[in-house]
Amino acid sequence: MPEVLKAPLVVEFPFTRSLGPVQSAFLTGLRERVVLGVATADGRTLVPPVEYDPVTAEDLRDLVEVAPTGTVTTWAWNHEPRRGQPLDTPFAWVLVRLDGADTALLHALDVPGPDAVRTGTRVRIRWAEERTGAITDIACFEPYDGEPAELTGSDGTFEEKVTGIVAHARLDYTYSPGRAQSAYIAALSGRRTVGERCPSCRKVYVPPRGACPTCGVATAEQVEVGPAGTVTTFCIVNIKAKNLDIEVPYVYAHIALDGAGLALHGRIGGIPYDQVRMGLRVEPVWTDGGRYPDHYRPTGEPDADYETYKELL
Amino acid sequence: MTRDIAVVAFGQTDTLRTTEEMSEVEMLMPVLHDVLERTGLKTADIGFTCSGSSDYLAGRAFSFTLALDGVGAWPPISESHVEMDGAWALYEAWTKLLTGDADTALVYSYGKSSPGPVRDVLTRQLDPYYLAPLWPDSVALAALQAQALIDAGDTDEPALAGIAARSRATDNPHAQLRGPVPHGDYLVRPLRTGDCPPIGDGAAAVVLAAGERARALCERPAWIRGIDHRIEPHALGVRDLTDSPSTRLAAEKAGAFERPVDTAELHAPFTSQEVVLRKALKLGDDVRVNPSGGALAANPIMAAGLIRIGEAATRIHRGESDRALAHATSGPCLQQNLVAVLEGDPR
Ligand SMILES: [Zn+2]
């Protein structure tokens, strides 16, 4: 068995999310150093506020200002902050019930050590210097020894309301393709295309994924296919892809390699794009040091008869 | 309820710290073959197939469609998927069998947590406005719940260590952590490494069958007497973290309180969560809790809940239990909870 292949895989996505009226008021308020909650029909004030009552599911719209000071309701000491968390020095995660609120808000508390925090500790908001209308406008909480801070008197109306947020996310993985695909990739780097045959239906899968999707059994018998093959179908690409140094238009095709039970895909070169056709015979073109074919070009053979590849479309 | 439906077979992989030499379908396929072999069924005999998994764990888009390769989905099968633990896939399959549309169902789930930073990955399931931008990881949120329990006098650190040790004193051959395991340093205080589940990869599969079909496929079917799932309000600060009203309600609807159970398989990834669940489910000291070791011994995310149902059913199959409760959870601090009650025929 070849060694396990691994490669870094970064999944990064900015989600643009719109806000409802209550979330919009709350996040706009944070930008203006005002904390707003929402009142429920039974007289409770929820902070952070939500659009619907968590008990009755009724619409909630009545904004109520609460103080930027409050009390820790539970905590956890985080001696090793992780990427993206509010502070990069050790801190306490806290749920804080702000003065005037009936529910608690999650954030970080900046204290020197776990001995400086307990349930019941009084705290106040430390505002971020640059505020955009996001939960991170609260930089963190800090200890506070005193009475509830005074309210600003805001009724929740602001100029230039925040109507959306962009939530960035990045996750770093180590991708490993598994046994069948590792064997395929290892063979490719030796300029051989190796599929796997299903022991039940005898079909040869290229690239192999380790299982026959028709029979639901493991494939294992390795079968070298190609190098030449037949274009079974194709499309003409007219839009230049970002970070891809290929002139448009070009042809991207399904290619049934000789001996394979299904087509793989690849770019067709060495022929004007408008002369590519179904049945065209092609072979892989390798570049120096390339671990997979750069593209496929015509072999010069006569076109394949439709009957020979119609099952592979 | 018009039909009796039972778990007739259960299979699981060993849970391993990494399975980097296998793709997801390569990891999953052996357990699919295992449960089909136990019942003598072929893919074509299965009326409905339902799976649970999350693409975020391994970072592979549409991995659940690739996993279907292992089922053999041609000619086309009746199939569904939930982006949740397989326990919820089982719930969907149970519903399908209740309607009479199918007599047998194959339920499977799998999770490969090893390729990614799972504590961070799980932050992406949180409220995107107020929580996710702060990246509060799964251990941190569980630690807030643990501290709330300690403050309430419901537990203390030595008691939590005791839960960890009891869980890992299992003879479960599939477990990832077994025997004496150091309780370790704080990961996020008050939780130590020993209070947290191991990170691992694994897969599980269950076959369900209705009525006489179940009796034909299994000597002692594990009849699902009731199954229900409920959820807490999603803001953590609205909840009483020391209690789990959703678990209690699901148990009530599943009929768990009608008669005592002898065994309970609880999906409590953190020691402190077992304290909450025991209270919510009113489990006495005479109930055998997590003989499999539970999620503290092996926690393949997306499969660990289905495994609880499978473990409870297996004990009924073997005649080691007559009435068992199985629980599955999802989300931070026991956000969502499913309870199933399983029974064997009288002996
Ligand atoms: Zn086959």
Side-chain angles (χ1 to χ4, degrees):
Chain A
M1 182 175 159
E3 62 171 320
V4 173
L5 298 174
K6 290 185 200 179
L9 169 70
V10 178
V11 177
E12 216 168 356
F13 41 94
F15 272 123
T16 303
R17 295 181 176 274
S18 55
L19 301 170
V22 172
Q23 291 166 320
S24 168
F26 175 69
L27 293 180
T28 307
L30 295 186
R31 190 189 67 197
E32 307 302 325
R33 303 196 199 201
V34 173
V35 189
L36 295 167
V38 72
T40 64
D42 62 357
R44 301 200 312 151
T45 300
L46 310 181
V47 182
V50 289
E51 312 267 332
Y52 300 98
D53 190 305
V55 179
T56 65
E58 274 177 307
D59 279 19
L60 298 179
R61 294 294 179 267
D62 297 337
L63 300 167
V64 183
E65 191 188 358
V66 299
T69 52
T71 305
V72 170
T73 63
T74 186
W75 60 282
W77 183 250
N78 188 30
H79 65 272
E80 222 167 4
R82 301 170 75 82
R83 186 172 74 194
Q85 295 182 343
L87 296 168
D88 53 14
T89 49
F91 67 89
W93 287 107
V94 283
L95 279 168
V96 176
R97 190 168 55 231
L98 293 172
D99 296 324
D102 293 291
T103 62
L105 173 142
L106 179 85
H107 223 291
L109 172 63
D110 187 10
V111 282
D115 295 338
V117 56
R118 60 182 169 77
T119 295
T121 296
R122 294 282 296 157
V123 296
R124 76 173 160 209
I125 289 174
R126 181 191 296 164
W127 296 103
E129 300 218 342
E130 283 178 33
R131 295 180 308 283
T132 59
I135 192 67
T136 44
D137 287 355
I138 298 176
C140 61
F141 281 84
E142 59 192 19
Y144 168 75
D145 187 15
E147 295 300 303
E150 282 190 23
L151 305 182
T152 66
S154 168
D155 63 355
T157 342
F158 302 100
E159 280 178 30
E160 289 181 57
K161 274 192 304 186
V162 178
T163 57
I165 60 164
V166 178
H168 291 282
R170 176 187 166 129
L171 297 167
D172 288 69
Y173 298 89
T174 303
Y175 187 90
S176 53
R179 182 201 60 79
Q181 292 187 67
S182 293
Y184 171 76
I185 293 166
L188 264 190
S189 63
R191 300 197 173 184
R192 295 162 57 239
T193 303
V194 177
E196 288 190 357
R197 190 190 305 279
C198 170
S200 173
C201 69
R202 310 298 293 161
K203 204 168 177 175
V204 175
Y205 287 93
V206 187
R209 298 205 299 249
C212 171
T214 303
C215 307
V217 297
T219 57
E221 184 197 338
Q222 300 197 331
V223 181
E224 185 165 347
V225 298
T230 301
V231 171
T232 62
T233 185
F234 64 94
C235 65
I236 299 166
V237 179
N238 285 290
I239 295 170
K240 207 167 160 57
K242 210 171 158 184
N243 309 325
L244 199 60
D245 190 24
I246 300 170
E247 284 311 311
V248 293
Y250 65 87
V251 170
Y252 205 69
H254 274 194
I255 301 156
L257 295 179
D258 296 344
L262 81 168
L264 47 68
H265 33 106
R267 182 168 63 89
I268 306 296
I271 178 173
Y273 73 91
D274 56 357
Q275 290 177 29
V276 175
R277 55 204 179 263
M278 290 169 71
L280 181 70
R281 296 284 294 160
V282 294
E283 64 188 5
V285 177
W286 304 83
T287 50
D288 279 347
R291 291 182 62 124
Y292 50 88
D294 179 68
H295 65 278
Y296 292 77
R297 71 178 170 213
T299 62
E301 298 166 86
D303 285 1
D305 185 27
Y306 180 67
E307 291 298 314
T308 64
Y309 64 85
K310 69 174 185 186
E311 295 297 325
L312 303 174
L313 284 179
Chain B
M1 196 180 302
T2 53
R3 305 181 92 192
D4 288 330
I5 293 156
V7 175
V8 295
F10 169 61
Q12 63 181 313
T13 62
D14 292 348
T15 299
L16 302 169
R17 180 61 188 88
T18 173
T19 52
E20 60 186 11
E21 73 287 359
M22 283 185 280
S23 67
E24 282 153 318
V25 67
E26 287 165 348
M27 176 177 79
L28 169 68
M29 207 164 21
V31 292
L32 297 176
H33 294 171
D34 180 25
V35 291
L36 291 174
E37 231 161 72
R38 281 166 199 257
T39 51
L41 295 170
K42 296 187 175 56
T43 300
D45 304 326
I46 297 287
F48 182 61
T49 299
C50 199
S51 60
S53 66
S54 172
D55 289 355
Y56 274 85
L57 285 179
R60 299 185 184 195
F62 293 101
S63 73
F64 68 95
T65 59
L66 298 179
L68 262 182
D69 285 0
V71 177
W74 184 267
I77 59 171
S78 171
E79 180 269 338
S80 183
H81 175 263
V82 296
E83 191 84 1
M84 302 182 77
D85 188 288
W88 277 265
L90 184 142
Y91 181 87
E92 183 177 336
W94 174 77
T95 310
K96 183 85 169 178
L97 263 56
L98 273 187
T99 66
D101 273 0
D103 294 330
T104 53
L106 172 65
V107 179
Y108 64 87
S109 61
Y110 61 91
K112 273 179 83 116
S113 295
S114 62
V118 68
R119 285 171 67 182
D120 303 324
V121 170
L122 291 175
T123 64
R124 299 302 94 190
Q125 72 182 334
L126 301 172
D127 174 328
Y129 305 101
Y130 302 156
L131 293 183
L134 306 175
W135 294 81
D137 62 279
S138 47
V139 179
L141 296 176
L144 287 167
Q145 185 174 34
Q147 185 62 46
L149 286 160
I150 291 169
D151 287 336
D154 286 341
T155 192
D156 54 28
E157 289 193 38
L160 295 180
I163 290 170
R166 194 214 70 231
S167 299
R168 291 167 184 144
T170 175
D171 57 2
N172 179 355
H174 302 292
Q176 185 180 344
L177 285 186
R178 210 165 4 138
V181 174
H183 205 52
D185 294 329
Y186 288 122
L187 212 49
V188 180
R189 183 174 168 173
L191 294 180
R192 296 174 182 270
T193 52
D195 292 306
C196 303
I199 296 170
D201 302 351
V206 159
V207 176
L208 298 181
E212 286 311 307
R213 201 71 199 282
R215 290 181 209 282
L217 294 172
C218 179
E219 208 171 304
R220 190 172 195 243
W223 300 106
I224 300 174
R225 294 302 184 211
I227 179 167
D228 195 86
H229 62 93
R230 301 281 158 163
I231 190 164
E232 306 289 339
H234 84 171
L236 288 170
V238 169
R239 295 168 49 187
D240 172 1
L241 294 176
T242 68
D243 197 8
S244 183
S246 61
T247 299
R248 191 179 302 113
L249 185 56
E252 196 183 304
K253 298 285 179 190
F257 302 133
E258 287 164 18
R259 278 195 309 287
V261 297
D262 55 50
T263 305
E265 279 286 338
L266 307 180
H267 185 194
F270 297 91
T271 50
S272 41
Q273 294 177 344
E274 184 181 305
V275 177
V276 178
L277 292 172
R278 276 177 180 268
K279 185 162 75 170
L281 292 166
K282 304 170 194 167
L283 296 177
D285 289 339
D286 52 338
V287 178
R288 268 193 310 173
V289 172
N290 287 353
S292 69
L296 290 164
N299 188 39
I301 293 177
M302 297 295 144
L306 181 63
I307 290 172
R308 304 282 72 74
I309 300 175
E311 289 281 0
T314 300
R315 276 180 169 73
I316 288 171
H317 294 162
R318 289 199 211 120
E320 295 166 12
S321 166
D322 293 322
R323 181 173 158 90
L325 180 150
H327 160 267
T329 195
S330 178
C333 303
L334 302 171
Q335 182 78 29
Q336 189 169 8
N337 297 286
L338 177 148
V339 174
V341 177
L342 307 172
E343 280 184 358
D345 287 326
R347 286 175 289 181

